[in-house]
Every structure is written in C-alpha cells, then in structure tokens.
Amino acid sequence: MTAARSGPAFSVHDIPFSTHGSWFDISPVVAEKTYAEDLHLVSHQNGMHAVLRLVPLDPATGDRTEARVETTPGLLSWIGTGGRVDLSYESPDTVRLWGSGLGISVEAAARTLTPFSGTYFFRDPATGAHVFTSYETGRRYRVTVLSGIVAGAPGTQALGGGHRGLSMTPEADGHWEIAIEELDTARPPYASSTPFDAITEKERTRFADFVDRVAPWRSATTPAAELAAYVVWSATVRPTGLVTRPAVLMSKHWMDKVWSWDHCFNALALAPGCPELALDQFALPFDHQDDSGALPDSVTHSEVLYNFVKPPIHGWTFGGLRRRLPTPPAPAQLAETYDRLERWTGFWLTARRAPGADLPHYQHGNDSGWDNATTFDPERVIESADLSAFLVLQLHELAYLAEALDRPDEARRWTRTAEETQAALLDRLWATDRFVARSVGTGDTWSSSSLLDLMPVVLGEHLPGDVSSTLADHIKAHLTPYGLATELPSSPHYLADGYWRGPIWAPATVLIEDGLRRAGHERLADDISARFRALCETHGFAENFDALTGKGLRDRAYTWTASSYLLLAEAHAQRDGR
C-alpha cells in the first residue's frame, strides 16, 4: 500500500515533518526545548501550539503500542511489530493517515478546557466529522473517517478536564484511513478520491522539483544538500495573518518567526532556483517598515515586534541577490528596493546617531543579532565596528542602485557618505591591530574576544590591505576543527552552549567567508567553508553548534543554517567545476 520511500531519511526529533506552505507540522517538539513521548500536530498560528497528540494503538487491546518512526520527505511512518501507520500531506492544510495492523488515537493535547484555553471536541452533525476547536490557535481541526471503525470518541462535548479524541481501528479488510484538516470556521465536507499512495508520490515529486531548482549542482561532494533543501522547503508557510508573502520561517520548532536578518540568508540561497520566493523573503520585513524607516525585529503569524532591530546587512544581501537572480530585477523592483533601503539607511544615520556623532550605534546586543556577545559586556549602547561596516556596504549598494535608476547626484552622495563613514570607522574604532567598541555615553573604548569585533572583514575589497590581513590573522585564532567560534575558546567568557559566547553560527560564517574571499584571503575562506560544510554534513542544521565538539545546539532545524550550507556548497561546487 505504501509508496516507495524517496529522498533523505531524517529524525523527526531533529527536523519536523511538514510541507511547503503549511502552518503546522508533525513532531514530538511541543515547546522550547520540550520533547513529548508521542508525535503531535503542532500549529504555528498565534504562536507555537501542540494541538493534537497522535498515538499508535494495538487494535486488539486499544492500548498504546510501541512503534518506531521513520521519515523522509513526503512520508512519515509509525512501524510496529504488527503493522504500520503512514501519514502524508495532501495539501498545506490537510494530512491523510492510513493504517494497517495498527490503530491510532487522535486526541487533544490539552487535557483541560476553560472558557479561555484548551480544546473543545464534538461531532459535527452537518458533516459527520469529528472536530477539535483550539483556543490557542484560533483554528479548527476536522477529522473525517474515510474507512475503518471509530473504536471510541471520549470527551465529545465535554467541558473541564478529561480525555478528548477518537480512536481508529481497521475494518475487516485490515485497513483504516482518515483525513485531518486545519481550517478557520467551516468548509464543505471533506471529499477526495485520490489514493494515499498517489498523495505521497505527489508530495515526493513536489519536493524533488524544489531540490532540482535550488540545488541542481548537488553531488556526492555535497551530501547534505537535499536535507538542507528539505529544511527550507518544509519550513515555508503560505501568506496568512501578518505574514504578507510566502515566508520561510526560521524553523517549525519554537523559532517560528522571520527575524529581520535571518531572512537574508534564505533569500540568497533561493535566488537562482526560486527567484520569486527569494525576493519575497527579502521584502517581507520591509512590508512592516515603520515611519522612522526601521525594520521590525521579527514577524510572525500574529505579531510584529519593534522593540529591537537587526543589523543593516540588507544592502550586502541585495547586492548578492542581484548577482544570483537568473533575471536582473526590473526597474520597478530596483526603485522599490532603493526606496526601502534608503529609508532603512536613514534610520541608522538619524535615529541611531547621537548629536554630532559620525557613527551609528546599537542600543542593545539584540540589535546586532549577536544578543549576548562579550562586545556588549561593559555597556550595551555602543558604537560597534560591525554596524558601521554593514552600513558602508549598504551605502555602496544604494549608490549602485541610484546609478542604475539614472540618479547620478544621489549616487555620488551615497558614495561620499560611504567613504566618510568608513573613514570615521577606521579613525575612531581601529586601534593598532584590532577594532574596539566605544561607549556612546562616555566615549570609553574596549576590545573583546568576540568574533563580532572582527566582522568588519565583511568590507572585503574596501578595506586597506594591512587591516584585512590583520583581521584575517585574528580570525584564524577563532577556528576550531568545526568552524568559527564566536568567542575565543581560550577566553574566560567562553561557554560551550553560550549562544553568541562560543558556539558556531551560520550567518557569521557566511559573512566572514565572503569578506575574506573578496579581500583576497581565499585559502582561509576555503578552509572556513570546508569546515562549516563538514559540520552540517555530520551534525545537521541546528541553530548553532558547540565549537569544540560540533554538537548541534538549541533549535535543531534552523533554515538560515540550511541556507548557509546551500550557499557555501553551491560556491564550492562551482569552484570545483572550474
């Protein structure tokens, strides 16, 4: 009955099982760092919420039975000694489940229903389906029986505490099948004549087509490319709520937002094969740009946060997009991007420059994306060299766009501002052999053992040769067998799982690798790329990694990590092909 498996196998404990466009996944991860015994249907509307528990059953006793879980793109299976249950997405809001020799219980994850929380359960007399309504997601989950026997449906219309759900067992032919839909209020009764195997094959084909678009260069030398593509593909959601475009969430675990620098790496990885989706990733935070020109810190289904910002890497990003898109952006696209980047740059040059200051400042480590980096230990409101370096690149990109739009006076103005900002950066924050941070309040300066202090290498060809060479030497000290530690391992502040105080991160890797390569330090760039690619091939696509062991840390299915692997692997494949 089941379709042939295709695509990379993966652990659902690390990577949630989902499909392109869906707002829910199937996973044991039900909250931050929280793993349940059973798989759950977990929705990301109104936040992350485990809605339904899916439990394999012994059909003879009706009790929970042990079953191993196997997953590949398109098919998730529970396999026990007496049979199996298969699950596949029919559409972004509907999954089909088919079982033989095993039953299943579909039950509310929340055991208590109050007037403001929990899940209500009833049988809809209009359709005959069983329906769960979730206060947390604000959505309904309709279960339609296609074949088999409902062995029980406890908790129907029950209030307060208790068990709610239905159990499926096979009919005489040994099989059962159901559909579970996530919907708003109502829709026509579920009806489908598509066999389960055909649904699975369609999913497999959809994913295979995506891989062929985003990683046509893959080979045995880039063995994690398909799984990286799956992480990105399966974390993509359709426009809903405050998400104005198809969006690649950072994860369908608990990091289920679009942060306003994370999205840049997904856009770059998607650009050659999925250009429209790539441009949507770049543009989404700009859809929520405020009156000051600032981008939000993050966007998700039901909230847009402005209490922090993220660093202005968007000029660097759009320059990369222009070069990677199969067709150059149309004039209207360039004009829109120019306007948005101009306002974003204006925010840093006005709202984030103290009176009389030449350089912009961060107000907290969160603004830099390196939340707790040791650069911010003495103070948080600081002029930081990475910020000015990113801004210089953004000013150069504005100059390029102004020239392309036939605005030569504006192009000269942006070029002049870029040169002035870089001169101020070197004059105020370069101290003999390193960059320092400066207190906006007192003018005091300090250096740290954070890789963040070396990030101005992203300026690449714009940096004086002696400065880029000195930075390259310092960067080498951060290299472990697995990549670039964000804090020197010899530092007293180094922490194995210290977020930005030690672990290896994808964005720092990509930005530094690119800057080194553009500055002519290709051998070091090659080394950094090779170590990071090997790290992902061995340890997956975690939010970050232990710099001394390579172990994946925090959220284990992070899209900017997967996209960074795709970017570095593609560039490696192209260099090998020369």
Side-chain angles (χ1 to χ4, degrees):
M1 172 68 186
T2 57
R5 292 185 178 272
S6 179
F10 59 92
S11 169
V12 76
H13 284 260
D14 293 336
I15 300 172
F17 181 80
S18 192
T19 195
H20 189 92
S22 181
W23 278 92
F24 68 84
D25 60 81
I26 309 299
S27 172
V29 180
V30 296
E32 183 176 355
K33 302 178 185 176
T34 304
Y35 290 76
E37 181 181 13
D38 295 302
L39 299 188
H40 285 64
L41 185 153
V42 181
S43 177
H44 298 274
Q45 300 198 60
N46 287 330
M48 178 186 184
H49 303 288
V51 181
L52 302 177
R53 179 183 291 108
L54 306 173
V55 183
L57 303 177
D58 181 329
T61 65
D63 296 331
R64 185 184 186 280
T65 188
E66 292 300 317
R68 73 179 186 276
V69 176
E70 295 184 358
T71 40
T72 59
L75 183 64
L76 181 150
S77 302
W78 293 261
I79 301 174
T81 56
R84 65 186 297 137
V85 175
D86 292 325
L87 181 151
S88 189
Y89 278 82
E90 184 172 16
S91 69
D93 64 14
T94 302
V95 289
R96 287 264 289 270
L97 291 89
W98 176 96
S100 174
L102 293 181
I104 200 162
S105 172
V106 181
E107 56 194 64
R111 290 299 181 98
T112 301
L113 176 67
T114 78
F116 305 105
S117 65
T119 302
Y120 175 60
F121 178 58
F122 67 99
R123 189 170 185 271
D124 182 1
T127 64
H130 293 81
V131 179
F132 299 85
T133 69
S134 167
Y135 274 98
E136 283 72 24
T137 70
R139 302 299 183 275
R140 298 175 176 226
Y141 301 84
R142 184 169 72 179
V143 183
T144 301
V145 176
L146 306 180
S147 65
I149 299 168
V150 177
T156 301
Q157 298 188 50
L159 305 177
H163 178 82
R164 297 172 174 82
L166 69 156
S167 300
M168 292 299 304
T169 58
E171 293 179 330
D173 64 1
H175 304 121
W176 59 264
E177 190 168 359
I178 60 174
I180 304 177
E181 304 165 88
E182 183 178 55
L183 54 98
D184 292 341
T185 304
R187 64 172 58 161
Y190 174 85
S192 175
S193 60
T194 307
F196 184 88
D197 282 357
I199 290 170
T200 303
E201 178 61 21
K202 181 180 178 182
E203 272 293 274
R204 186 200 67 78
T205 300
R206 287 180 69 222
F207 171 65
D209 289 346
F210 180 83
V211 176
D212 285 343
R213 292 197 303 274
V214 301
W217 39 262
R218 66 193 186 278
S219 70
T221 65
T222 56
E226 286 195 27
L227 191 55
Y230 179 77
V231 171
V232 175
W233 179 80
S234 63
T236 304
V237 295
R238 66 190 184 278
T240 304
L242 296 171
V243 175
T244 51
R245 304 164 183 263
V248 181
L249 303 179
M250 291 312 101
S251 175
K252 280 185 180 169
H253 288 324
W254 59 85
M255 299 295 281
D256 56 352
K257 298 183 179 184
V258 176
W259 275 269
S260 292
W261 72 311
D262 309 44
H263 69 113
C264 293
F265 301 90
N266 290 330
L268 288 167
L270 290 166
C274 301
E276 291 184 6
L277 184 59
L279 289 169
D280 281 334
Q281 301 323 295
F282 180 79
L284 193 152
F286 286 94
D287 291 345
H288 298 279
Q289 194 169 20
D290 75 7
D291 291 341
S292 74
L295 298 184
D297 184 41
S298 62
V299 179
T300 192
H301 174 269
S302 301
E303 68 174 18
V304 180
L305 300 182
Y306 291 93
N307 54 324
F308 294 106
V309 293
K310 285 293 175 278
I313 68 167
H314 302 83
W316 171 85
T317 302
F318 195 73
L321 281 176
R322 287 190 293 99
R323 292 184 289 272
R324 290 176 58 76
L325 290 168
T327 302
Q333 174 73 53
L334 292 180
E336 179 184 55
T337 302
Y338 178 80
D339 176 67
R340 290 176 157 189
L341 284 177
E342 180 180 32
R343 294 176 58 218
W344 179 220
T345 304
F347 165 80
W348 289 102
L349 294 176
T350 55
R352 287 300 181 88
R353 281 205 298 196
D358 296 317
L359 299 177
H361 61 266
Y362 291 132
Q363 295 176 344
H364 187 280
N366 289 0
D367 287 341
S368 74
W370 293 53
D371 308 2
N372 66 335
T374 53
T375 301
F376 297 94
D377 279 1
E379 294 188 34
R380 263 58 65 194
V381 182
I382 64 172
E383 294 174 356
S384 177
D386 65 295
L387 170 55
S388 292
F390 292 141
L391 196 60
V392 168
L393 293 180
Q394 192 151 291
L395 289 161
H396 282 301
E397 181 63 16
L398 281 167
Y400 174 90
L401 294 174
E403 286 284 2
L405 294 168
D406 196 23
R407 304 177 188 181
D409 291 343
E410 294 178 31
R412 285 190 290 272
R413 174 166 60 87
W414 293 125
T415 298
R416 183 171 62 252
T417 305
E419 292 170 348
E420 292 170 351
T421 303
Q422 180 164 322
L425 166 63
L426 293 169
D427 178 59
R428 292 178 60 81
L429 299 184
W430 180 251
T432 308
D433 68 342
R434 65 185 62 244
F435 281 103
V436 297
R438 181 185 298 274
S439 165
V440 175
T442 67
D444 292 344
T445 63
W446 60 87
S447 61
S448 77
S449 297
S450 175
L451 186 64
L452 183 62
D453 291 7
L454 309 178
M455 190 55 70
V457 77
V458 75
L459 284 167
E461 70 277 15
H462 301 290
L463 276 177
D466 59 331
V467 174
S468 71
S469 295
T470 300
L471 291 176
D473 288 340
H474 287 312
I475 287 167
K476 291 175 187 175
H478 284 261
L479 267 178
T480 75
Y482 303 97
L484 289 170
T486 46
E487 179 78 7
L488 277 177
S490 59
S491 164
H493 304 294
Y494 177 88
L495 293 171
D497 189 10
Y499 224 50
W500 293 93
R501 301 169 82 93
I504 295 166
W505 286 79
T509 301
V510 169
L511 286 162
I512 286 176
E513 192 268 358
D514 174 68
L516 287 168
R517 198 173 295 283
R518 289 188 290 108
H521 302 284
E522 294 191 3
R523 182 174 298 179
L524 179 56
D526 286 345
D527 190 12
I528 290 170
S529 171
R531 294 187 197 206
F532 185 79
R533 286 183 282 111
L535 174 67
C536 293
E537 289 159 6
T538 304
H539 295 283
F541 305 104
E543 184 179 354
N544 52 46
F545 303 87
D546 186 313
L548 302 183
T549 69
K551 177 185 176 183
L553 303 171
R554 309 292 175 122
D555 193 309
R556 298 299 299 275
Y558 217 75
T559 56
W560 76 355
T561 308
S563 288
S564 295
Y565 175 84
L566 291 170
L567 285 167
L568 295 174
E570 177 189 9
H572 167 69
Q574 291 174 345
R575 286 192 297 272
D576 264 12
R578 284 204 297 261

